[in-house]
Structure formats: structure tokens, C-alpha cells
Amino acid sequence: MSFTLPALPYAFNALEPTIDAATMEIHSQKHQKAYVDNLNKALESAPEFADKDITSLLREIKTVPDAIRQAVINNGGGHANHSLFWEIMAPNAGGEPTGAVSEAINAAFGNFVKFKETVKQNALTQFGSGWSWLVYDPASTKVVALKKPNQDSPIMDGHVPLLGLDVWEHAYYLKYQNKRADYVDAWWSVVNWKKVDELYTAAKNG
Ligand code: MN
């Protein structure tokens, strides 16, 4: 068994003009592919871990051998993060959250505007590369906004990622150059809240 690059659930140009087709193609076919290839390469020396699904592998990261653990954090995290990223975006999406996740967001942040401000603040204050996240925390049964560097997956902390905003420069530089804030503001118009609500409901139900 080995990990494989997922097909995008829409065409490279489907998120135009928010995310340009060239960025989508390079991001999925080059960047995510490298994470998948390097994950498989790292696991050649520990084949028993290659049979796990990516969520189990990251949840049980402490059991991965020392010699390859950082490679699995970087590349397994990169694979998981991007697989989620494609799913929580869609053409003709955006707007406000719906369903149970909408209630959870309002309970945790007050309202949608304050929630977006928190996600943006986390995105803009992540120094260098990383992600701004909304996760479900099984311990508190609440949704939490946080930022993490590099490709570190919230799954490693026992969290269930619901919404992830990639703020690596490769995610936005072709269209937005150094203007990360403009990318963050535009990104809300492609968020697939239906998928986020599905993920929240599944997480809440264990
Ligand atoms: Mn990326």
C-alpha cells in the first residue's frame, strides 16, 4: 500500500477568480504530489505504517520511528492538509456557514464576523509558512481557531480539522504576491460550508 494523490473535486480553473488555475494546478500536482511521494519514500523503512490511513498515521505520530518522524510530520501533514483544503473549497460557494457548524461558530466566537476576524488574525500572524485552522476539540466539544506552522497537522494534537487556510506563499503568490491579507479576504468566497458542516457533524458524533 502507498499513499496516492487525490483528484481535485473540480477543474483547476473552477475557483477563478479567487484562486487562479495556475496556482491550483501547481499546488495540487507539484506541491501536494511532492508531499505524497516523500511520505511514501519515508515509509519505505517502516512499511507497517504505510498501511494506515493518513488520519491514523498522524494521530499516532508518537509511535512512528524517530528516524522518519519529522519526515512523516512534514509530508504526511502536507498530504492530509491539502486533501482537506481541496474539499473545503468549491466553486459557487462562500456565504455564511449553515447547519450545526454555524451554531458552534456563533457559540465559540459570538458571530460570523468575529470568527472571520480571528481566522484572519491567525493567518496574518503566522510567521513564515503555515495554516490558519478551525478545528473540533473532542475534549471540550467546542470548535477552536488556531494557527500552526509548516505542515503540522492539528490531527497530531487530537483535534479534528474542519477548515484550513493555507498561508504558505505557494498558495497565493502568483495572484496576490506579498498581499496575504487580500488572499485571506478573497478566500471566504470559495469556502464550502456544506462540507465544513459535514465534517463538524461527523466529528461531533465521534
Ligand atoms: Mn500548500
Side-chain angles (χ1 to χ4, degrees):
M1 282 290 291
S2 61
F3 292 95
T4 54
L5 186 66
L8 280 188
Y10 36 73
F12 295 131
N13 66 359
L15 304 182
E16 295 259 15
T18 306
I19 302 181
D20 58 286
T23 294
M24 287 301 295
E25 181 165 6
I26 296 166
H27 202 172
S28 61
Q29 304 302 300
K30 305 292 184 190
H31 289 277
Q32 189 179 11
K33 184 169 191 304
Y35 297 128
V36 170
D37 290 347
N38 289 326
L39 175 62
N40 288 329
K41 199 172 170 193
L43 292 174
E44 282 172 5
S45 65
E48 66 275 25
F49 289 93
D51 286 331
K52 292 182 181 288
D53 64 82
I54 190 67
T55 300
S56 302
L57 183 62
L58 292 168
R59 195 182 287 142
E60 299 161 20
I61 191 68
K62 290 183 175 67
T63 67
V64 171
D66 288 351
I68 61 167
R69 189 177 305 130
Q70 192 59 49
V72 173
I73 290 171
N74 294 345
N75 296 292
H79 177 38
N81 294 345
H82 289 86
S83 296
L84 179 78
F85 191 50
W86 316 136
E87 295 287 332
I88 56 89
M89 299 190 291
N92 307 311
E96 301 211 352
T98 52
V101 77
S102 171
E103 292 167 29
I105 286 171
N106 290 338
F109 301 94
N111 57 52
F112 183 51
V113 171
K114 286 182 184 167
F115 163 71
K116 287 200 293 184
E117 285 170 0
T118 303
V119 171
K120 182 177 182 178
Q121 185 66 15
N122 284 337
L124 299 185
T125 57
Q126 174 55 49
F127 182 73
S129 297
W131 292 68
S132 177
W133 293 100
L134 177 73
V135 303
Y136 177 73
D137 173 32
S140 66
T141 72
K142 287 185 166 59
V143 292
V144 180
L146 48 86
K147 60 184 172 185
K148 291 184 75 67
N150 305 314
Q151 296 295 353
D152 290 5
S153 168
I155 297 168
M156 296 192 298
D157 306 324
H159 290 144
V160 181
L162 305 175
L163 182 71
L165 172 55
D166 187 346
V167 295
W168 284 57
E169 285 186 345
H170 69 224
Y172 62 87
Y173 209 85
L174 290 182
K175 182 178 170 77
Y176 298 92
Q177 291 84 45
N178 60 316
K179 298 184 284 290
R180 187 185 287 192
D182 290 358
Y183 160 68
V184 173
D185 289 340
W187 178 74
W188 295 107
S189 69
V190 295
V191 172
N192 179 0
W193 286 110
K194 184 169 177 287
K195 182 67 186 181
V196 177
D197 187 45
E198 285 171 16
L199 293 168
Y200 172 75
T201 300
K204 185 97 179 161
N205 295 335

